[in-house]
Amino acid sequence: MGSSRGNNSELFYRIAEKSRTLAFPAGTFHTIGVGGHFSGGGYGLLFRKYGLAADNIVDAHLIDDKGRILDRKSMGEDLFWAILGGGGGTFGIVLDWKLKLVSVLATVTVFAVTKTLEQNATELIHRWQYVAHKLPNDIIIAVIISRVNSGQEGKKSNNIQASFSGSFLGGVDKLISLMKKDFPSLD
């Protein structure tokens, strides 16, 4: 069992200290504590292949309103399910979590591509909406749309950009091959 204290970065670091081929499908925001992340469901970069963080928690210890320390068996499946998405602090104090680690390749490739409206960002976003969910579960691509300043100094103009970022469970050569086949316009 692991503590409810600490953040996702600490969790990832501790797992990486022990193995290059095990991971936990938790979130990407390094400032979120693991207890809050897990009790909120736990959306992260590995969810397409392994589900949410909550799907990979096998046990927890909880202090209930009567002061009893309960594990999954003694709290029952309804309460266990509730602390994995309904906010752990709502139902008691979660002391620790027992996690199921998942197997991953030793190489994970991350990438980012940014395009402005002039660089066909609108068309890429449209294409992404039709492609992203059909890609293999080893890849996730997210897009963030934002307003940026562009232009020469003294002649600032507002522009919109789309930032595509993602991760792939595998090497860069396989990723490039996959992207050329399934999403060639994102180069």
Side-chain angles (χ1 to χ4, degrees):
M1 294 290 225
S3 169
S4 284
R5 296 180 19 224
N7 61 39
N8 288 333
S9 295
E10 293 171 24
L11 172 65
F12 296 144
Y13 181 79
R14 295 294 175 230
I15 294 170
E17 279 184 319
K18 307 291 184 199
S19 172
R20 290 183 39 87
T21 58
L22 290 175
F24 185 74
T28 57
F29 294 99
H30 67 281
T31 58
I32 297 176
V34 293
H37 181 70
F38 298 166
S39 64
Y43 175 85
L45 293 177
L46 298 175
F47 91 97
R48 293 193 71 222
K49 186 163 186 156
Y50 297 108
L52 301 173
D55 298 326
N56 293 280
I57 295 175
V58 296
D59 202 352
H61 286 119
L62 171 93
I63 300 176
D64 71 2
D65 62 337
K66 295 180 177 112
R68 300 175 297 180
I69 297 177
L70 308 172
D71 63 4
R72 181 176 185 168
K73 184 177 180 183
S74 60
M75 75 176 77
E77 288 302 307
D78 286 345
L79 181 54
F80 183 70
W81 176 85
I83 65 172
L84 297 179
T90 305
F91 305 100
I93 300 169
V94 179
L95 300 172
D96 54 35
W97 307 90
K98 184 174 182 181
L99 313 177
K100 175 180 74 175
L101 300 181
V102 298
S103 294
V104 295
L105 297 174
T107 301
V108 175
T109 304
V110 295
F111 60 93
V113 176
T114 300
K115 300 287 185 175
T116 63
L117 292 177
E118 291 84 9
Q119 297 169 314
N120 295 322
T122 304
E123 290 81 9
L124 286 172
I125 293 167
H126 183 262
R127 180 75 182 130
W128 169 80
Q129 291 176 315
Y130 290 96
V131 171
H133 68 283
K134 296 177 184 174
L135 293 170
N137 289 341
D138 290 336
I139 188 169
I140 184 169
I141 302 174
V143 63
I144 296 175
I145 302 166
S146 58
R147 180 179 297 269
V148 295
N149 288 324
S150 63
Q152 298 173 348
E153 192 172 325
K155 295 182 178 181
K156 291 186 177 180
S157 64
N158 287 324
N159 197 352
I160 303 296
Q161 76 177 14
S163 299
F164 297 85
S165 59
S167 65
F168 174 67
L169 300 175
V172 69
D173 293 338
K174 190 171 180 183
L175 172 63
I176 289 171
S177 173
L178 173 77
M179 294 302 284
K180 282 183 179 179
K181 178 177 143 291
D182 292 330
F183 198 1
S185 52
L186 186 67
D187 57 359

